[in-house]
Amino acid sequence: MRKDAGRSRCGGTGTWHPGVGGAGRAGSYPEEPVTLVVPRPPGGITDQLGRLVAARMARDGGIRVIVDNRPDAGGNPATELAARAEPDGYTVLMGTQGTMASNQYLYKALRFDPARDFVAAQGLVSIPNVLVVNSRLPYQSVKDLVTFARANPGKLTVSSAGDGTGTHLAAELFQAQAGVKFVHIPYKGSAPSINDLLAGQVDMTFDYPVSTLAQIQAGKLRALAVTGSARLPALPQVPTIAEAGYPAAESTSWIGLFFPASTPAAIVARWQADIGRMLQDPAAVDAIHKMGGVPLPLSGQPFANFVQAERSKWKATIQRSGATID
């Protein structure tokens, strides 16, 4: 979609309002509440993080933020809405690994370009997956799992929260790097995936700490590895996927702030400064850990470079796997 000077600003109610050119508004910013578009339903980590950002921007930055949840179709409509918004600092997107890196390779036709239509402003949170198996299975390590899988291709099943989700793509990346082949069983969300894993209907999954930690601690699931770059504070005994021998299988879901392209640099910098301070606040870091994530304190060009590297990684993974959604 080609942006044009006549587009309008997105309000928290989803209505369109006559816009004023962004460049002329930076000096008096903010004159009204800012809409934070969240491409996920209420209650999940993206929503929780959005509300943490809203509270901190109000308290520390003097900016009132309205959280606008728009969970449909993998977050694509929400992302398109933000892409079309007036670039005046009054619309900010909580972009995710899906909406900003992998969806463009999973969906046949998106009406926005995540690289062209947005400024990658600020990283927020990185969320590793945990490779878990039913505790009744004999595998005590990633090595055990891979040894069996190589000798028995296609006999192990891996569940996910759905085709193209982070839980699915983490499994595809691991299979490619480990030289194994699992049978993918997609579900409509993490809850039914985990339920069937607990019941022994599937063998493993790569899901998030918030979905797996209680069952790991109860001894019903066995954690073999975490896919992030560091061990999780809640699971200090569980090695990273790199420590288990597969550094190229490292993967995370992540969340960051994105502004419509051409948003004044001064406004973007103000958010970067305030959010940068938030990510150094022990109370905010503790809240992020309780969500199952770790801070992702990348800002400006380093964050943009990270996002571009993610696009390249997931493009290759998706093309190799043949995954598609529509």
Side-chain angles (χ1 to χ4, degrees), residues 24-46:
R25 304 198 60 190
S28 56
Y29 180 88
E31 297 176 327
E32 59 189 82
V34 174
T35 297
L36 181 62
V37 179
V38 176
R40 293 291 184 269
I45 184 171
T46 310

Side-chain angles (χ1 to χ4, degrees), residues 222-279:
R222 181 180 302 121
L224 302 185
V226 296
T227 63
S229 61
R231 295 192 180 199
L232 289 175
L235 297 170
Q237 77 282 7
V238 179
T240 67
I241 203 75
E243 291 172 330
Y246 300 97
E250 182 178 306
S251 66
T252 62
S253 293
W254 47 264
I255 305 167
L257 293 179
F258 294 78
F259 287 80
S262 301
T263 298
I267 290 176
V268 174
R270 177 168 175 176
W271 278 74
Q272 289 169 330
D274 288 337
I275 297 301
R277 285 189 289 270
M278 183 191 90
L279 295 177

Side-chain angles (χ1 to χ4, degrees), residues 176-201:
Q177 298 303 322
V180 296
K181 182 61 180 175
F182 306 140
V183 176
H184 175 225
I185 311 294
Y187 289 79
K188 293 183 178 180
S190 287
S193 167
I194 298 297
N195 286 342
D196 270 11
L197 178 58
L198 291 168
Q201 299 300 310

Side-chain angles (χ1 to χ4, degrees), residues 133-134 136-137 157-160 185-205 215 220-221:
V133 298
N134 187 298
R136 295 190 293 271
L137 295 177
T157 53
V158 59
S159 64
S160 77
I185 311 294
Y187 289 79
K188 293 183 178 180
S190 287
S193 167
I194 298 297
N195 286 342
D196 270 11
L197 178 58
L198 291 168
Q201 299 300 310
V202 292
D203 297 312
M204 76 190 91
T205 195
Q215 303 297 344
K220 296 179 180 180
L221 296 179

